[in-house]
Amino acid sequence: MASRIGELVLGCRDPEALARFWCDVLDFAVLGREEDGGVEIGPPEGAGGPPLTIFLSRTEEPEEGKPRLHIDVNATDRDQDAELEGLLTLGARPADIGQTGEEPWHVLADPEGNVFCLLKARIAPV
C-alpha cells in the first residue's frame, strides 16, 4: 500500500488574500475556487510530477493552540536573508513558538497567523 499527500488544507478567514500570499511565496497559481469561498493553489502547469496543492478553506474562527501541521519553505533563487526580507515584505511576520534563536531557520506567521518556517538550505526550483 502506498499513499502520497495530495493537498494540505489550511483554514483561514480570507482564502483569496491568503492565496495571493502563498502564490507569491511559492510561485504557485490559483487552480480552482469552490462555491463556499475555498481556493486551491498549486504549481502552475508544466511543473512536472504529481503536484502537491494547498487548499485554503474558509473558517470563521482560528483553531486554538499550536497547530499540528505547518509549512516549511526553502528559497530557490536567493539566500535565506534575502528570502526572509521578501517574505516580510509580502506580509509575513516573525512568530515566537518557543525557539531559542539559535535555530538555522526563521519561524514566521502568514497574514492570518498560520505558522511556517523558512529553512536555511536553498533548493533548486521545480
Side-chain angles (χ1 to χ4, degrees):
M1 182 173 154
S3 298
R4 73 170 183 85
I5 296 172
E7 67 186 24
L8 299 176
V9 179
L10 187 58
C12 59
R13 288 180 294 278
D14 188 346
E16 289 290 337
L18 214 52
R20 285 190 299 275
F21 174 82
W22 283 110
C23 282
D24 285 344
V25 170
L26 301 172
D27 196 24
F28 274 15
V30 171
L31 302 177
R33 289 181 170 84
E34 301 289 321
E35 288 182 22
D36 66 359
V39 179
E40 184 177 20
I41 64 173
E45 286 187 56
L52 172 68
T53 63
I54 299 173
F55 188 82
L56 302 156
S57 176
R58 183 177 305 281
T59 306
E60 292 305 317
E61 295 297 323
E63 292 185 30
E64 293 293 322
K66 184 178 174 184
R68 291 180 179 237
L69 176 71
H70 71 268
I71 298 171
D72 286 341
V73 299
N74 297 77
T76 60
D77 62 349
R78 63 192 97 188
D79 67 20
Q80 185 188 42
D81 291 337
E83 187 70 1
L84 176 62
E85 184 177 322
L87 292 168
L88 295 172
T89 299
L90 288 173
R93 61 187 185 281
D96 183 358
I97 58 168
Q99 63 270 32
T100 65
E102 299 298 318
E103 296 83 3
W105 60 83
H106 294 279
V107 181
L108 304 166
D110 71 17
E112 288 211 11
N114 298 299
V115 175
F116 69 100
C117 295
L118 170 61
L119 304 180
K120 187 167 186 76
R122 185 173 161 189
I123 60 172
V126 178

